[in-house]
Amino acid sequence: MKRCNICICIYMFLGALSFAYFSKSLSGSYMKSTITQLERRFDIPSYLIGVIDGSFEVGNLLVIAFVSYFGAKLHRPKIIAIGCLLMSIGTFIIALPHFIIGRYEFETSVRWEINSTDSPAPCPKNSAAICVPVLVPECEGESNMSMWIYVLLGNVLRGIGETPVQPLGISYIDDFASQENAALYVGCVQTISVVGPVFGYLLGSMCAKIYVDIGFVNMETISIGPSDSRWVGAWWLGYLIAGVLTLLSAVPFWFLPPLQYSSLQCVSNSGVPSTDFIPTLRILLGNPIYLIYLCVTIIQLNSLIGMVTYKPKYIEQHFGQSASKANFLMGVVNIPAVALGMFSGGLCMKKLKLSLMGAAKFAFSTSLIGYFLSLFFFAMSCENAKVAGVTVPYDGMDVLLFDKPSAFTACNSDCVCSANDWDPVCGEDGITYVSPCLAGCTRSDGSGSNTVFAQCSCVGSAGNLTARTGQCLDREDCDRMFPYFLALSVITSFIISLGGTPGYMLLIRCIEPQLKSLALGFHALATRTLAGIPAPIYFGAIIDTTCLKWGQKRCGGIGACRIYNTAAYRTAYLGLTLSLRSASFLVCIPGFLLLRQQVRREQRNAVRGALANGGAEMEALGKDETADREAAVVPETKSVREPVVRDTEGSQPTAEHHSRDRETRL
């Protein structure tokens, strides 16, 4: 292949791979941005969302060994194209439930009778039964309970499709590009992969503002807004957009030529035969520094993955922000701070010319500084929302009722209400009531989000104030604290990310060169298995324990959580995150001791080697000088002897000649 054709191919492949990286990272970040939307739409707890999120890693692990071994021997661009196609199909499958489960019906305590023009009283008296929960006749055929399975399967397929993109794409660039350009091209691809999550969260922010059934319902009849815990945005729309982008990214790879995987020869010549995998792995895991580094990164990634997965949810629940705003802030604030930190860390390592020990100290120091700064998050607290019968008693006194919640009291004892419904209204007294029925409201005016409930016997000391739809959002302490939380979040993300590049270089330098590929591969496998899969699950399960009010499914059983104990949520979320990082610091202590021993041992070996080389050089130099002197003497002797000639008659040399020759030898 001509050089000009190779250049064209590498540029085409670089553009295609960058677009594929952008698409896959956009899809991944969009998945995390829809966590609360999926919880509410499918009425599932947080731990099941963790299972769905971790299923991507499961799909990746299912085929990573097969792709890594056989993919390099096949047509790599076409294998990547197939992977992008599978990712696209998986993304479309995630959106599929929206089109087969019908319209979203959020729970409400007020039921309107069919063919009736009268507005039933929010608080019917004992003789009325309009407010009693109505059982849906088609409940047995309701399939909403299992629809999240499609989301899980689609995410597994996304993980399978993503597997060949990185290893085969990077190896293709390394084989095709010149040595001086390969690093630049890989850097460009990695940069694009950081841009993808920014657009993913922005897409999540946009879709969270749009009602889930937009275009199929009259929005004037919708009484909830984006800040309501029952609101579900158009989560499916972003998956359709991401699926189309991923499908388009597969097209260019079909037209690119294959290339022999030259690095296979490097592996075979590295002195580590493929049949010696188990012994070689035993040697790798026998390296205590590598083993400790692996444990540290697994623990820290558990903390990082769990924190990032539920951070938008934490912002929503703790600070009362909408899902749209939480995703927007993640995309335009946190992600760029992380990208800038990783770039700055690599730049610092280059400028400071950090050694192996220097890189370890730099990574540890930045992580420790970020850890201490993160402790201030505990001080950035918000009061629990005042919900009558859930967090405060009906008289509004600041007495928490977490241990003995009761939705019923004397002011609503005459109403036939359901304690399971969640249709919050905000009373004039600034307290949220679980439903207008439990607020004792006897009359309603208006419709949709403009509905006003009057003559509410539980609202206010007089018991005759009004209430409006939706939860009370006036939490001045949260509004005042949120900007500080956001600023500290950006600073800590940047500082912790500074150690990312030096820490990765430590992984590469602490092992023998011939074990480098195996070490990186095993590191990726271990972190995906022990961090990427379990962290979202147990983080979600612990968050579920702080729920105060669970939603109800149409066919019975608990659904998604409607309101959390803010203090307990903060303690669980931040406490688990920082506890894992504390454990990683303890593991670092023996790692530093072993690393220091290794560095000193290498320094001693280097000194001994230098001395040995110096002695050998001196000996060789001495031999060279002796040889030079001998070489200088021999020609001089010959030059003296050459004049000793016989006479023309063939007589012997004269006595004078013998005397000169003797003097010369002496």
Side-chain angles (χ1 to χ4, degrees):
M1 184 181 294
K2 295 182 179 179
R3 183 62 187 175
C4 60
N5 292 335
I6 294 178
C7 291
I8 295 174
C9 288
I10 191 59
Y11 290 143
M12 290 178 59
F13 185 85
L14 181 62
L17 188 64
S18 298
F19 188 37
Y21 262 70
F22 173 82
S23 301
K24 76 181 185 68
S25 59
L26 182 146
S27 299
S29 59
Y30 183 78
M31 163 63 74
K32 294 188 180 297
S33 75
T34 59
I35 281 181
T36 54
Q37 311 296 311
L38 296 176
E39 281 186 19
R40 297 167 185 173
R41 185 64 183 96
F42 301 111
D43 278 329
I44 56 178
S46 295
Y47 82 90
L48 278 182
I49 285 295
V51 172
I52 293 174
D53 187 74
S55 64
F56 177 86
E57 306 292 347
V58 173
N60 205 289
L61 292 174
L62 288 176
V63 296
I64 189 171
F66 177 83
V67 170
S68 299
Y69 184 77
F70 292 102
K73 300 180 179 181
L74 303 175
H75 195 300
R76 279 178 287 177
K78 289 187 177 180
I79 297 298
I80 296 175
I82 294 174
C84 292
L85 182 61
L86 291 177
M87 280 196 294
S88 177
I89 295 174
T91 307
F92 288 135
I93 291 177
I94 293 176
L96 181 62
H98 171 74
F99 301 97
I100 60 178
I101 63 176
R103 304 290 170 255
Y104 172 58
E105 296 182 9
F106 52 88
E107 54 187 315
T108 179
S109 61
V110 179
R111 306 294 183 184
W112 296 87
E113 291 184 335
I114 301 175
N115 298 326
S116 175
T117 58
D118 297 329
S119 297
C123 172
K125 300 303 178 181
N126 292 334
S127 59
I130 300 176
C131 273
V132 176
V134 179
L135 294 178
V136 182
E138 301 84 5
C139 190
E140 294 182 357
E142 181 63 53
S143 60
N144 289 16
M145 296 178 60
S146 59
M147 284 296 103
W148 63 270
I149 297 293
Y150 288 92
V151 181
L152 184 142
L153 294 177
N155 209 32
V156 170
L157 191 58
R158 280 188 58 246
I160 293 175
E162 189 267 349
T163 306
V165 176
Q166 180 173 357
L168 300 188
I170 299 301
S171 66
Y172 191 94
I173 290 178
D174 187 58
D175 289 344
F176 237 140
S178 60
Q179 185 175 0
E180 61 271 14
N181 290 333
L184 175 63
Y185 295 156
V186 172
C188 293
V189 173
Q190 297 292 346
T191 302
I192 295 297
S193 68
V194 176
V195 176
V198 175
F199 284 88
Y201 278 107
L202 291 178
L203 180 62
S205 175
M206 180 192 72
C207 294
K209 293 180 180 179
I210 306 172
Y211 187 67
V212 59
D213 293 322
I214 187 70
F216 297 94
V217 296
N218 183 3
M219 291 302 297
E220 294 181 358
T221 63
I222 304 301
S223 60
I224 58 176
S227 298
D228 196 289
S229 61
R230 295 164 294 171
W231 175 270
V232 176
W235 59 274
W236 52 273
L237 180 60
Y239 286 110
L240 294 182
I241 295 174
V244 171
L245 290 176
T246 309
L247 182 62
L248 293 176
S249 69
V251 175
F253 291 106
W254 294 103
F255 303 99
L256 290 168
L259 184 67
Q260 295 297 324
Y261 190 48
S262 60
S263 58
L264 281 178
Q265 300 175 353
C266 299
V267 175
S268 62
N269 294 332
S270 63
V272 184
S274 59
T275 56
D276 294 337
F277 173 75
I278 299 299
T280 305
L281 182 61
R282 189 179 297 114
I283 294 174
L284 176 64
L285 297 181
N287 185 333
I289 296 178
Y290 175 79
L291 195 60
I292 290 177
Y293 179 90
L294 189 64
C295 293
V296 170
T297 53
I298 287 175
I299 296 174
Q300 289 195 345
L301 281 177
N302 270 272
S303 174
L304 177 64
I305 292 173
M307 183 269 293
V308 172
T309 300
Y310 293 99
K311 190 168 187 177
K313 181 182 177 71
Y314 179 78
I315 294 175
E316 293 177 47
Q317 298 295 331
H318 194 77
F319 294 99
Q321 305 296 323
S322 66
S324 175
K325 186 173 182 179
N327 291 328
F328 177 81
L329 293 175
M330 285 290 292
V332 302
V333 178
N334 273 84
I335 301 300
V338 172
L340 181 61
M342 295 180 66
F343 175 79
S344 301
L347 189 62
C348 290
M349 189 171 184
K350 178 181 179 180
K351 294 295 183 181
L352 299 177
K353 299 180 180 178
L354 297 178
S355 61
L356 183 63
M357 180 60 74
K361 291 180 178 178
F362 186 88
F364 180 82
S365 299
T366 55
S367 182
L368 190 62
I369 293 173
Y371 172 83
F372 285 121
L373 289 176
S374 298
L375 294 176
F376 288 98
F377 285 126
F378 284 101
M380 298 179 178
S381 61
C382 290
E383 295 181 358
N384 283 281
K386 294 182 178 181
V387 181
V390 179
T391 61
V392 295
Y394 273 83
D395 56 13
M397 295 178 62
D398 293 332
V399 179
L400 300 183
L401 296 177
F402 301 143
D403 53 343
K404 297 179 180 179
S406 176
F408 298 98
T409 188
C411 62
N412 58 26
S413 59
D414 292 337
C415 301
V416 180
C417 306
S418 171
N420 295 327
D421 286 328
W422 178 257
D423 186 23
V425 293
C426 181
E428 279 190 83
D429 54 358
I431 297 177
T432 298
Y433 296 84
V434 173
S435 69
C437 183
L438 290 173
C441 303
T442 59
R443 183 168 59 86
S444 63
D445 298 317
S447 62
S449 59
N450 297 320
T451 302
V452 176
F453 302 93
Q455 300 177 359
C456 303
S457 59
C458 295
V459 179
S461 57
N464 58 2
L465 299 180
T466 62
R468 55 180 173 81
T469 58
Q471 190 172 341
C472 296
L473 302 177
D474 297 331
R475 301 170 66 185
E476 295 181 0
D477 58 327
C478 288
D479 294 338
R480 183 176 61 255
M481 192 63 65
F482 184 63
Y484 296 101
F485 168 84
L486 192 61
L488 183 60
S489 178
V490 171
I491 294 173
T492 54
S493 297
F494 173 78
I495 292 177
I496 294 174
S497 300
L498 281 174
T501 301
Y504 193 77
M505 295 307 298
L506 175 63
L507 168 63
I508 297 176
R509 294 179 181 178
C510 73
I511 55 177
E512 293 80 1
Q514 65 270 21
L515 298 177
K516 187 181 302 183
S517 298
L518 179 61
L520 293 174
F522 188 81
H523 177 268
L525 177 66
T527 52
R528 286 178 182 271
T529 305
L530 301 179
I533 296 175
I537 299 175
Y538 66 77
F539 261 81
I542 291 177
I543 290 174
D544 285 337
T545 62
T546 67
C547 182
L548 293 177
K549 175 66 177 176
W550 290 96
Q552 295 294 312
K553 295 181 180 179
R554 295 177 59 191
C555 302
I558 63 172
C561 184
R562 299 308 187 191
I563 184 172
Y564 292 86
N565 181 342
T566 302
Y569 191 114
R570 180 179 66 254
T571 302
Y573 175 74
L574 297 178
L576 183 56
T577 299
L578 295 179
S579 296
L580 289 169
R581 290 170 61 184
S582 300
S584 70
F585 293 145
L586 295 178
V587 180
C588 284
I589 296 176
F592 270 109
L593 297 177
L594 292 172
L595 184 61
R596 181 177 300 175
Q597 293 177 1
Q598 176 176 317
V599 171
R600 289 178 177 177
R601 184 167 55 251
E602 291 178 352
Q603 290 176 347
R604 287 196 299 267
N605 293 337
V607 171
R608 291 173 183 173
L611 292 176
N613 292 335
E617 291 177 358
M618 291 296 294
E619 183 179 357
L621 183 60
K623 291 180 179 179
D624 291 341
E625 291 179 351
T626 302
D628 290 341
R629 286 197 300 270
E630 292 178 353
V633 171
V634 172
E636 183 180 356
T637 304
K638 290 182 179 180
S639 64
V640 175
R641 290 182 176 179
E642 284 178 356
V644 182
V645 295
R646 299 180 184 274
D647 57 10
T648 54
E649 288 83 12
S651 61
Q652 298 295 325
T654 62
E656 184 178 357
H657 292 160
H658 286 290
S659 177
R660 291 178 181 175
D661 187 40
R662 190 181 304 110
E663 291 175 358
T664 302
R665 287 197 300 271
L666 294 175

